[in-house]
Amino acid sequence: MGLRTKILVYFGLLAVIGIGNLGLLYKAELDEELQQDWITHTNRVINDGGRLLGHIREAETGQRGYLLTGEPSYLEPYGNGIAGAQKNLSSLKDLTQDNIEQQSRLKLIKILIDRKFSELKETVQLSGWNKQQQAMSIVKSGQGKRIMDSIHDYMNEFEKEETRLLELRKSEFKSKQLILKTVFLVEVLLLIALILMVNFLIQRNLVNPILLLKDGLENLSDDEDFQEIKVLSNDELGSLTKAFNHMHKEIRDRSRELSQKAHFDTLTKLPNRFLSLDRLSQLLSEAQRSQGMVAAMFLDLDDFKRINDSLGHETGDKLLLEAGKRLSKVVRTGDTIGRLGGDEFIVLLGGLREGANAGLVAESLLNEFRIPFKIEGRELMLTASIGIAIYPPDGKNCSELLRNADSAMYHSKKLGRNTYSYYGEAMNREVSRRLELEEQIHSALVRGEFSLAYQPLIDINSGRIIGVEALLRWSNPALGNISPVEFIPIAEQTGLIVPIGQYVLLESLALVKRIQQKFDPGFQVSVNLSPRQFQDPTLVNFVANALRRTSVAGACLSLEITEGVLMTGHRDVDVALSKFAELGIKISMDDFGTGYSSLSYLRRYPFDTLKIDRSFINDITVSSAGRELIKATVTMAHSLNLNVVAEGVETDEQLTFLKFLGCDNAQGYLMSKPLPEKELIGLLGQSEFSNIDLQARSS
């Protein structure tokens, strides 16, 4: 039954009961009026009969004196009494039709009285009432006296019977009234019960569901566990309640999902930056009250970009997930491990008695990373650099503490990574320096603050300068000369390395073209490419267009890349290197030996040159193992038809040994430091420098 039908039925019942009670009340009022009319007419009959009896008695005793006066109207009172009595008796007859059985005796008496009146009327010829003697004779005669006595007796009996019936009628009326009142009271009680029942049904089927829905709406945003509202009926409200339960559940689930996303990292499920900072604020408040200490630790995964670039972001995400699990195992239950983004994590330690306790936790964290990660059947090594800042000595608030922890983390990077450092004032200066560099480098290219220096590349056997390596320099009016070690990483992180790299390539090719026209048509230049530049989809076209604009052959350009570029595993790298080879451009592997030194890269990609890092060159005069390593590298490269370049040659001993091993080319301060264009042209223009006498230098 629908809600609308139920409401109509409830109010219909109320209306029927109300109308029924009104009908009973109206009927009771009609019965009471009818009873009063019956009593009134009965009293009139009794009164008329009494007056008639009085007239008869007066006539018999001569009290009226009509007989003495001789007036013909002596018997007129009889006629009036008879007529009035008959009229009232007729009305009484009509009123007692519904009670014939109860008043049969009264009716019989009335009939007898009627007959006697008729007999009297026949005896007393009213038309002859003017004859006094005749009337007197009738009155005095025995016949008239007998009739009058009969009427007298009947009237007395009628009066008694009527009085008895009147009392009986009154008693019956009181009983009826009592019954009607009782029935009315019962019906009122039934009506009250019905009203209560209807109220109960309305309360249960209408009010209670609405109140439950109201409470549900008020508690819609509460954090308590969701409890479905009980469905009390199968009507529209029941359907509405079911719909509300479904909606409430969806809203609660969506709210929890949004809360999860707002406060937790979607990948690792660890607290995100927002929640981590909130917890740090709570820890600082507690430490301030208890005079305790709090440690904020910044943890950055070393060289994680290499993992993403080489193995793909899917593998990188799995590695981050496992790293988060390992970090969570180390800290206490009340401590916080959060992910700030990328490969950065934060560790919050509260309730410390001394700052040294944070170092113990940092060591445990680093130990977790010394165990290889097994991802998709591979064993990957990953290290971390940690910076620690302690409240209150290293910061009074969240932002200051986090900034100093970040400074300490960068200091750990500079120490060689895979370590931790406590914050110190010197670190703060380093961070300030980095911020200044980031601010200045954005417009440095536009302001013309960049320049190039060129380090000569010689042929070890002939001592001839066959080319140069272009090296970027930055001189800022506010900061002075900035080392590439400082600004190149910032340029890569900010993406500015792309336009800066384009500037280096164009300037280098323009210089090579001028040198070729003036000195050596085969003169070549080497330009470094960073991993970030390979993400530029216009890289290949830009290089090709630069060669055409400067009219430099591809064979005179050597692009140097590190293993970090190759480890990205991106198809774009493969395509770019293949197209460079098609253009005749030489590809050099730079800093060989400092990374994984994977030989598979040398076979897979079209390399022309292998450059041995300066760290290995430094060892060849002091370590036999270093010499053997260089020897093996040169032999291996020649077996792959690769040209070998030794970087950082600074002594004659190093140069002599490299020549003995058959190394092809060398560059370093022994031959020449990096030179600006003008000095390089001057060096090439002097015959005594254009062909360096290595034999003399080595002797």
Side-chain angles (χ1 to χ4, degrees), residues 666-687:
Q667 63 183 92
Y669 273 54
L670 177 64
M671 286 71 70
S672 175
K673 65 179 181 179
L675 301 172
E677 179 180 348
K678 185 176 180 180
E679 294 183 18
L680 176 63
I681 297 297
L683 176 63
L684 294 175
Q686 298 176 15
S687 59

Side-chain angles (χ1 to χ4, degrees), residues 358-631:
L360 300 177
V361 177
E363 289 178 0
S364 299
L365 294 173
L366 294 176
N367 287 333
E368 285 293 325
F369 285 89
R370 293 190 175 100
I371 304 172
F373 289 85
K374 294 183 179 180
I375 306 295
E376 297 179 343
R378 299 183 180 183
E379 288 193 355
L380 302 176
M381 293 300 300
L382 191 64
T383 60
S385 298
I386 301 175
I388 306 172
I390 305 296
Y391 170 87
D394 297 334
K396 304 298 183 182
N397 52 55
C398 292
S399 59
E400 187 177 355
L401 201 63
L402 293 177
R403 183 173 63 251
N404 294 338
D406 189 47
S407 300
M409 185 269 293
Y410 275 106
H411 184 71
S412 297
K413 295 277 190 185
K414 289 188 176 182
L415 293 178
R417 306 181 178 183
N418 194 26
T419 186
Y420 69 91
S421 299
Y422 282 91
Y423 171 74
E425 188 58 35
M427 302 175 191
N428 197 21
R429 289 193 295 270
E430 292 175 2
V431 174
S432 299
R433 169 73 172 178
R434 179 182 177 85
L435 293 176
E436 290 177 341
L437 292 175
E438 289 182 1
E439 181 181 358
Q440 294 294 327
I441 198 172
H442 283 282
S443 302
L445 187 61
V446 177
R447 294 192 299 263
E449 296 175 0
F450 289 114
S451 62
L452 294 179
Y454 304 93
Q455 187 168 34
L457 177 69
I458 67 166
D459 183 302
I460 293 180
N461 290 322
S462 65
R464 186 170 63 90
I465 300 176
I466 61 173
V468 292
E469 179 181 0
L471 302 173
L472 184 64
R473 297 291 184 260
W474 179 23
S475 178
N476 180 266
L479 303 177
N481 294 324
I482 300 107
S483 169
V485 177
E486 280 191 289
F487 72 80
I488 290 297
I490 296 176
E492 290 180 346
Q493 292 174 7
T494 58
L496 293 173
I497 194 66
V498 174
I500 293 175
Q502 293 174 351
Y503 160 79
V504 172
L505 182 64
L506 289 174
E507 290 293 314
S508 300
L509 291 177
L511 172 67
V512 168
K513 184 61 178 178
R514 290 193 293 271
I515 293 177
Q516 288 178 348
Q517 292 174 343
K518 189 172 183 179
F519 298 106
D520 182 3
F523 197 83
Q524 61 184 0
V525 65
S526 298
V527 176
N528 291 279
L529 289 182
S530 73
R532 178 65 179 82
Q533 288 176 272
F534 277 88
Q535 298 177 20
D536 177 19
T538 66
L539 174 62
V540 175
N541 289 335
F542 184 85
V543 173
N545 291 333
L547 290 173
R548 283 193 295 269
R549 287 172 56 184
T550 57
S551 300
V552 174
C556 296
L557 174 63
S558 177
L559 297 178
E560 298 184 5
I561 62 175
T562 62
E563 285 183 275
V565 174
L566 304 177
M567 291 180 66
T568 60
H570 291 169
R571 177 171 174 76
D572 294 340
V573 175
D574 298 346
V575 173
L577 293 179
S578 297
K579 290 185 177 181
F580 287 150
E582 293 174 1
L583 293 172
I585 298 173
K586 296 178 180 180
I587 307 298
S588 299
M589 176 176 282
D590 195 14
D591 300 331
F592 183 79
T594 58
Y596 285 90
S597 302
S598 176
L599 299 180
S600 63
Y601 294 144
L602 298 177
R603 290 191 308 162
R604 178 179 175 184
Y605 296 103
F607 284 106
D608 300 284
T609 303
L610 186 149
K611 299 186 72 172
I612 303 174
D613 187 69
R614 66 178 65 245
S615 61
F616 294 95
I617 301 300
N618 293 334
D619 292 338
I620 61 177
T621 58
V622 296
S623 169
S624 59
R627 288 191 293 270
E628 291 300 322
L629 182 60
I630 295 298
K631 180 180 179 180

Side-chain angles (χ1 to χ4, degrees), residues 17 46 93 134 199 227 231 277 328 603:
I17 294 297
I46 292 174
K93 177 181 179 181
Q134 183 180 359
N199 179 70
Q227 293 182 352
V231 180
L277 294 181
S328 300
R603 290 191 308 162

